[in-house]
């Protein structure tokens, strides 16, 4: 074993959405930062080989092969397995995990992580989201409130570039927006009818997305080209990613060192100072082990991997690892449950068309258990969806031939509209991950085991998610409305959260209100692991805001000599 000593002011573990933000904030404030990424490097623009390809450019028309399905059994459960993004998701043979119960874990092990692959929907938590645990007597209280995060939401939105409209809704706080990705004419019509049908109690609004609708020349980002190929990497910088936004800023400071192929195996803990002194790294190419030391450590390896690192650290002091003294490390897994909604046909717009491929559609904010509405379950859900015209492929299965058939294919098909729900999952101690020490990955490291399931609260909510979608579309005059309740396994929302939650008491939480590990105050966790509850909105914007806030606090404490 070769050990090299290298010291930095700060170490950031992971390079996804929160890791990129941590690196940007810390380097801009003058710290020398080492960013550690377990996967390969990906260079902006140069390393997006499929950015301009169409389905017919792939050997199997962008469909997964039987061999891909065999090698990626988890990815094959849903849409991410295809030729266009092949190699952008973690290798399941090299990095397996154990499913005590089904868990769909979709991971991105490369520079930029899932910031290159995310859905980009960007919403704020509302005031009640931070108070709900306390009011409902569920889990523990958030140690912060909306007002603590509001200025950091402002900050994150302005930098990332979020397209949207200020709708003036308490349930979905307004932010700092670029002009929205427009609703098409059918969505506008349905939105107006929906508002009238429900007396203004339900709203169909523009989706708020991290696609810039105006150029950001200071970031060398041209703007969204309406290609809707976001997850192939955007050469135009049209959407927020580590590569397009935070990493260039961090590199420009001259304070950042990026080390790929670096699997962080543990935080190095000094029991005399009760602080971390750095991290241990396994080089994934050479299998050599290194130590890097620092004054502070930011864990941003993604929710479960940050928790894995903590579980693997300081085990000579805490059997369950660093941060386990509360008994909550690895517990309270959350996601957003989905796969439920409705769709139908819209008449009267056959002479209306649209151009381009929008990267976003509409959003219907939560209305259940809000205001005077009370249900027999806690919390609520929102819907994401869009309206469109069917394309030429609608007739492929037909056996027609001749000129009439060809002419029919040049005409857009009927308008349809559909929407799917995203529901909140309550934090529950029994939903957990833990180390499976009997099973090892390619590098001989113990893997994670998943023991997570939907509880009665979510199952009740799913009934409303389907029926409300049907009711909304029918009330708006949509024809032939059909509801659906499809397959869902925890993790499928790709919004894994919890496992190292924030709280007010070291006896019941892993982190304090500044994202510091209670057991080692110079270790910060600002990815999804820190979440105390899940809300029903996409969480990435909250990770950005929490990371910027924690980085600011960490630097202030360093200057005071507190860390």
């Amino acid at each position: 074993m070769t050990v090299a000593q290298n010291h930095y002011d700060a170490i950031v573990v992971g390079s996804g959405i929160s890791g990129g933000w941590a690196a940007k904030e810390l380097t801009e404030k003058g710290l020398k930062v080492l960013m550690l990424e377990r996967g390969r490097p990906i260079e902006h623009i140069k390393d997006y080989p499929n950015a301009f390809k169409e389905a017919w450019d792939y050997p199997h028309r962008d469909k997964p092969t039987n061999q891909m399905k065999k090698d990626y059994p988890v990815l094959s459960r849903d849409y991410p397995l295809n030729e266009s993004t092949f190699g952008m998701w973690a290798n399941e043979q090299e990095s397996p995990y154990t499913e005590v119960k089904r868990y769909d874990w979709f991971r991105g092990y490369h520079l930029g992580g899932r910031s290159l692959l995310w859905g980009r929907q960007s919403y704020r938590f509302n005031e009640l989201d931070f108070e709900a645990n306390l009011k409902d007597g569920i889990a523990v209280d958030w140690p912060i409130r909306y007002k603590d995060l509001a200025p950091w939401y402002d900050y994150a939105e302005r930098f990332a570039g979020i397209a949207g409209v200020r709708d003036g809704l308490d349930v979905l706080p307004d932010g700092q927006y670029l002009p929205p990705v427009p609703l098409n004419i059918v969505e506008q019509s349905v939105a107006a009818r929906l508002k009238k049908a429900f007396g203004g109690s339900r709203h169909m609004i523009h989706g708020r997305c991290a696609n810039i609708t105006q150029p950001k020349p200071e970031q060398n980002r041209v703007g969204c080209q309406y290609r809707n190929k976001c997850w192939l990497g955007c050469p135009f910088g049209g959407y927020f990613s580590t590569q397009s936004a935070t990493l260039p800023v961090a590199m420009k400071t001259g304070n950042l060192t990026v080390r790929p192929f670096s699997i962080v195996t543990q935080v190095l803990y000094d029991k005399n100072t009760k602080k971390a002194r750095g991290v241990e790294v396994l080089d994934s190419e050479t299998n050599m082990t290194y130590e890097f030391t620092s004054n502070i450590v930011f864990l941003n390896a993604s929710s479960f991997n940050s928790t894995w690192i903590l579980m693997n650290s300081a085990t000579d002091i805490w059997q369950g690892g660093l941060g386990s003294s509360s008994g909550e490390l690895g517990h309270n897994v959350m996601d957003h449950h989905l796969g439920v909604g409705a769709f139908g046909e819209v008449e009267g717009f056959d002479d209306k068309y649209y151009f381009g491929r929008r990267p976003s559609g509409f959003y219907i904010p939560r209305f259940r258990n809000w205001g005077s509405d009370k249900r027999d379950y806690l919390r609520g859900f929102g819907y994401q969806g869009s309206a469109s015209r069917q394309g030429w492929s609608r007739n492929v299965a037909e056996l027609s031939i001749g000129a009439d058939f060809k002419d029919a294919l040049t005409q857009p098909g009927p308008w349809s509209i559909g929407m799917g729900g995203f529901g909140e999952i309550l934090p529950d101690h029994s939903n957990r991950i833990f180390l499976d020490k009997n099973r090892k990955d390619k590098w001989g490291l113990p893997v994670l085991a998943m023991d997570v399931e939907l509880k009665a609260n979510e199952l009740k909510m799913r009934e409303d998610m389907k029926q409300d979608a049907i009711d909304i579309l029918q009330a708006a005059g949509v024809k032939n409305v059909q509801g659906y309740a499809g397959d869902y396994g925890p993790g499928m929302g790709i919004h894994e959260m919890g496992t190292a939650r924030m709280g007010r008491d070291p006896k019941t939480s892993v982190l304090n209100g500044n994202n510091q590990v209670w057991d080692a105050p110079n270790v910060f966790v600002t990815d999804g692991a820190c979440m105390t509850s899940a809300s029903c909105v996409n969480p990435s914007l909250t990770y950005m805001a929490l990371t910027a806030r924690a980085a600011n606090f960490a630097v202030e404490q360093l200057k005071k000599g507190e860390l």
Side-chain angles (χ1 to χ4, degrees):
M1 181 177 79
T2 302
V3 178
Q5 291 288 343
N6 292 291
H7 185 77
Y8 294 83
D9 297 323
I11 291 172
V12 175
V13 182
S15 62
I17 283 179
S18 64
W21 267 96
K24 169 190 173 294
E25 295 302 306
L26 295 171
T27 54
E28 282 190 305
K29 289 174 169 58
L31 273 59
K32 297 292 184 184
V33 177
L34 173 66
M35 174 187 273
L36 297 167
E37 167 53 53
R38 67 175 292 153
R40 65 189 173 96
I42 291 180
E43 187 177 328
H44 188 43
I45 303 175
K46 182 174 83 72
D47 291 334
Y48 304 150
N50 296 334
F52 292 100
K53 289 184 180 178
E54 299 293 346
W56 52 81
D57 293 317
Y58 301 97
H60 305 96
R61 303 300 182 260
D62 203 20
K63 302 294 184 188
T65 64
N66 287 334
Q67 187 62 47
M68 287 164 66
K69 291 176 183 176
K70 181 181 176 184
D71 292 341
Y72 292 81
V74 176
L75 275 184
S76 68
R77 296 172 189 171
D78 204 5
Y79 69 90
L81 190 63
N82 51 56
E83 289 181 293
S84 59
T85 60
F86 192 61
M88 292 294 286
W89 298 97
N91 186 315
E92 293 175 28
Q93 309 302 311
E94 295 180 354
S95 302
Y97 62 97
T98 299
E99 294 179 272
V100 178
K101 299 185 181 82
R102 173 184 168 182
Y103 193 93
D104 299 0
W105 192 18
F106 302 155
R107 301 157 285 169
Y109 290 170
H110 51 259
L111 191 68
R114 287 177 300 189
S115 78
L116 291 172
L117 299 159
W118 67 308
R120 306 168 314 286
Q121 292 293 296
S122 301
Y123 304 97
R124 298 184 178 207
F125 277 34
N126 60 48
E127 289 188 15
L128 185 62
D129 286 326
F130 290 99
E131 300 167 1
N133 278 4
L134 181 64
K135 290 183 174 178
D136 294 336
I138 293 290
V140 297
D141 185 21
W142 276 89
I144 60 173
R145 290 292 183 258
Y146 177 76
K147 62 178 172 49
D148 298 312
L149 211 52
W152 298 103
Y153 275 135
D154 285 351
Y155 179 69
E157 287 160 345
R158 286 195 185 101
F159 178 82
I162 310 298
V165 171
R166 297 174 70 87
D167 297 291
L169 304 175
D170 289 343
V171 73
L172 203 66
D174 290 330
Q176 309 299 317
Y177 300 131
L178 298 171
V181 173
L183 298 179
N184 62 41
I185 192 163
V186 167
E187 292 163 352
Q188 292 172 30
S189 175
V190 171
R193 283 182 268 170
L194 170 67
K195 189 173 183 180
K196 185 176 179 182
F198 290 95
S201 64
R202 300 184 189 182
H203 306 267
M204 181 180 286
I205 66 172
H206 296 77
R208 299 173 180 176
C209 61
N211 289 74
I212 57 172
T213 52
Q214 292 176 340
K216 277 187 164 288
E218 75 281 5
Q219 295 180 15
N220 292 316
R221 296 170 64 191
V222 176
C224 182
Q225 304 294 302
Y226 284 52
R227 303 178 333 124
N228 198 25
K229 294 178 177 291
C230 307
W231 69 345
L232 304 181
C234 184
F236 306 95
Y239 69 91
F240 172 88
S241 69
T242 295
Q243 272 83 345
S244 71
T246 48
L247 188 59
V249 171
M251 293 299 291
K252 192 176 179 181
T253 66
N255 291 330
L256 183 67
T257 302
V258 179
R259 193 184 198 280
F261 303 114
S262 299
I263 302 173
V264 174
T265 53
Q266 63 173 308
V267 173
L268 300 170
Y269 181 77
D270 187 326
K271 57 188 175 186
N272 293 320
T273 62
K274 296 191 164 115
K275 293 178 185 174
R277 59 182 182 84
V279 299
E280 181 182 87
V281 166
L282 176 65
D283 188 301
S284 66
E285 293 185 301
T286 66
N287 286 330
M288 303 281 270
T289 299
Y290 301 90
E291 286 187 3
F292 296 97
T293 59
S294 64
N295 299 327
I296 55 174
V297 175
F298 267 69
L299 292 183
N300 300 97
S302 81
S303 302
F304 292 175
N305 283 318
S306 289
T307 299
W308 180 94
I309 293 168
L310 290 172
M311 289 175 169
N312 220 40
S313 305
T315 51
D316 56 330
I317 300 169
W318 298 281
Q319 187 178 358
L322 181 62
S324 68
S325 60
S326 64
E328 295 298 333
L329 185 65
H331 294 270
N332 310 294
V333 173
M334 297 169 287
D335 183 31
H336 289 129
H337 60 103
L338 42 82
V340 186
F343 58 91
E345 298 170 4
V346 183
E347 298 176 344
F349 294 89
D350 288 350
D351 61 338
K352 304 300 181 186
Y353 306 91
Y354 52 84
F355 181 77
R357 305 180 204 164
R358 297 175 305 164
S360 181
F362 64 76
Y363 186 70
I364 297 178
R366 171 185 168 185
F367 51 84
R368 288 301 182 200
N369 289 319
W370 191 262
S372 60
D373 184 81
K374 294 289 181 284
R375 310 302 289 172
D376 62 348
Y377 54 83
L378 297 173
R379 313 295 165 87
F381 51 88
Y383 293 105
Q384 296 176 27
S386 65
S388 61
R389 297 195 74 159
Q390 294 176 23
W392 61 269
S393 60
R394 68 189 184 279
N395 281 327
V396 166
E398 295 184 11
L399 301 177
S400 306
I401 58 172
D404 289 345
F405 175 63
K406 291 178 181 177
D407 286 344
L409 293 188
T410 66
Q411 297 299 315
W415 281 91
S416 61
I417 188 168
M419 60 194 208
F422 281 71
E424 179 166 356
I425 292 179
L426 295 177
D428 189 298
H429 184 80
S430 67
N431 280 336
R432 66 179 185 132
I433 60 174
F434 59 94
L435 293 184
D436 181 351
K437 296 184 178 177
N438 295 318
R439 190 177 182 191
K440 302 287 196 279
D441 66 10
K442 175 186 174 181
W443 298 275
L445 300 167
V447 305
L448 281 173
M450 315 296 189
D451 185 5
V452 184
E453 65 183 356
L454 291 185
K455 306 294 186 183
N457 196 74
E458 290 83 49
L459 296 175
K460 282 183 184 175
M461 187 188 295
R462 289 175 77 77
E463 296 173 12
D464 267 8
M465 287 165 71
K466 177 181 176 181
Q467 190 57 50
D468 285 347
I470 295 171
D471 294 346
I472 284 170
L473 293 181
Q474 288 179 336
V478 178
K479 307 298 184 185
N480 301 320
V481 175
Q482 298 179 54
Y484 65 88
D487 176 51
Y488 170 78
M492 192 179 273
I494 324 184
H495 294 164
E496 65 269 24
M497 290 173 271
T499 67
R501 72 183 178 196
M502 298 169 73
R504 297 178 181 272
D505 186 341
K507 294 189 177 75
T508 56
S509 57
V510 180
L511 311 172
N512 68 13
N514 291 305
N515 296 82
Q516 296 167 281
V517 176
W518 289 108
D519 297 334
N522 65 336
V523 178
F524 295 79
V525 183
T526 66
D527 58 20
C530 77
M531 301 294 275
T532 310
S533 66
S535 180
C536 64
V537 299
N538 304 56
S540 295
L541 181 66
T542 299
Y543 304 166
M544 297 186 206
L546 284 169
T547 302
R549 177 177 177 269
N552 184 68
F553 173 82
V555 173
E556 286 179 352
Q557 293 298 296
L558 272 179
K559 288 177 179 174
K560 292 176 184 174
E562 299 291 330
L563 293 178

